[in-house]
Amino acid sequence: LIKGYEHAIYYSSDVDKKLLYADSAIAVAIKFKNTDLISRAYVGKGIIFYYNRRQYKPALDQYIKAFQYSKNSKDNYLKNKIIYHLGMVKSYLGYYNEAAAHFIQSAHYFENKLSNANQPNSKLNHETGYFNSIYRLSTCYKNLNQFNKEDSLITLGLSKLKHTDQHPLEFGYFQKGRGTQLLRSGNSKEALKHFTTAQKILNDQQDYASLTTVYFYMGKLYSITNEREKSLVYFNKVDSLLNKF
């Protein structure tokens, strides 16, 4: 039943229906008194609030419930997945120090498990968790003006992600991060190369929130280089995406 509801959440395009299916998954999990399933079901509902509705406080409420049910769990992957999601929503709410602590913990877990991940899917999941954790940690450091720590994490990510074969989205994130660093240091020409790469990847992956950020920085870049018409093109793209989504 829970698997059925999870598939229904995934394949339904209507957000209200997604929430109904998520509530049904929670209800079934509670009925069978399985704390791991309850925890996973609350994570599922939190993800809908976070990714589909961009409602961060309701998402945080769901993740906290999931965390409470996972305290005595032996499923460390589930526990660290929840810790990562707590970091994500706290980062968006502006609690950067708290979020950074979550990302440090999840990155440490996923990195340590990589050497023991024998199954391809398991290895891919742990790699994804690791790369996302260190990228999100770098954004926390950026917002805390700890640029040396941010720079080192972006460099680390790019040294491990040399192509887009298995982790295109994460590769796009690190390209965006490198472009932001280069723009901050005044190297507009090199920054543009990374932003252009990130733009294509994020557009293909339909990550419009991150794409909006790339468009903003490209607009800023052309503004700095006194290319007003190009700058306006990208600022208008930001406006268009925000209005659409």
Side-chain angles (χ1 to χ4, degrees):
L1 277 171
I2 291 171
K3 269 293 182 188
Y5 288 129
E6 286 176 346
H7 282 299
I9 290 167
Y10 183 80
Y11 287 106
S12 176
S13 59
D14 185 285
V15 178
D16 290 332
K17 285 185 178 179
K18 284 178 182 286
L19 287 171
L20 286 173
Y21 292 134
D23 283 333
S24 296
I26 292 168
V28 174
I30 290 173
K31 180 180 178 181
F32 287 96
K33 300 177 182 179
N34 184 311
T35 53
D36 279 6
L37 291 178
I38 296 170
S39 180
R40 195 174 79 186
Y42 275 117
V43 171
K45 188 175 181 181
I47 289 171
I48 297 167
F49 279 120
Y50 178 85
Y51 286 103
N52 299 106
R53 283 197 166 175
R54 295 292 173 182
Q55 294 177 334
Y56 301 123
K57 288 186 178 180
L60 182 59
D61 290 340
Q62 301 303 310
Y63 292 149
I64 288 171
K65 289 177 183 177
F67 179 75
Q68 289 168 342
Y69 277 104
S70 72
K71 281 184 177 179
N72 297 317
S73 175
K74 294 181 180 179
D75 187 343
N76 288 320
Y77 177 82
L78 174 64
K79 291 169 81 169
N80 281 276
K81 181 179 178 180
I82 295 166
I83 287 165
Y84 169 80
H85 281 294
L86 282 168
M88 286 285 285
V89 77
K90 285 183 179 181
S91 175
Y92 273 98
L93 289 170
Y95 307 130
Y96 300 119
N97 282 309
E98 290 183 34
H102 288 307
F103 292 135
I104 289 169
Q105 185 174 343
S106 62
H108 182 71
Y109 168 78
F110 289 124
E111 184 180 26
N112 283 343
K113 287 294 178 181
L114 276 175
S115 58
N116 298 324
N118 297 320
Q119 296 295 327
N121 284 344
S122 177
K123 186 173 185 292
L124 191 64
N125 285 338
H126 285 87
E127 284 178 347
T128 300
Y130 171 69
F131 288 126
N132 276 287
S133 293
I134 63 171
Y135 174 73
R136 300 299 173 184
L137 180 57
S138 78
T139 64
C140 288
Y141 288 143
K142 179 179 72 175
N143 285 301
L144 291 167
N145 294 325
Q146 297 179 17
F147 299 125
N148 287 337
K149 289 184 178 181
E150 179 206 1
D151 290 351
S152 65
L153 287 172
I154 295 297
T155 300
L156 176 64
L158 288 173
S159 70
K160 292 177 179 289
L161 279 172
K162 299 184 185 301
H163 48 73
T164 63
D165 288 357
Q166 286 190 309
H167 300 282
L169 196 55
E170 289 74 23
F171 185 77
Y173 291 156
F174 283 106
Q175 290 292 327
K176 175 166 72 84
R178 176 64 86 213
T180 306
Q181 290 173 334
L182 290 165
L183 184 63
R184 188 169 61 232
S185 64
N187 193 340
S188 300
K189 186 176 180 180
E190 286 299 312
L192 183 59
K193 293 178 183 178
H194 290 279
F195 286 140
T196 301
T197 300
Q199 175 188 349
K200 183 180 185 309
I201 293 168
L202 296 172
N203 188 50
D204 289 344
Q205 296 292 315
Q206 299 182 336
D207 186 341
Y208 299 116
S210 297
L211 184 61
T212 303
T213 311
V214 172
Y215 286 157
F216 166 75
Y217 280 117
M218 291 181 81
K220 191 175 181 180
L221 186 153
Y222 285 121
S223 178
I224 290 168
T225 56
N226 296 316
E227 297 176 83
R228 179 179 169 80
E229 288 187 7
K230 289 182 179 179
S231 178
L232 286 171
V233 166
Y234 284 99
F235 287 141
N236 278 319
K237 284 178 181 286
V238 173
D239 187 57
S240 177
L241 280 178
L242 285 173
N243 283 324
K244 185 175 181 180
F245 296 104

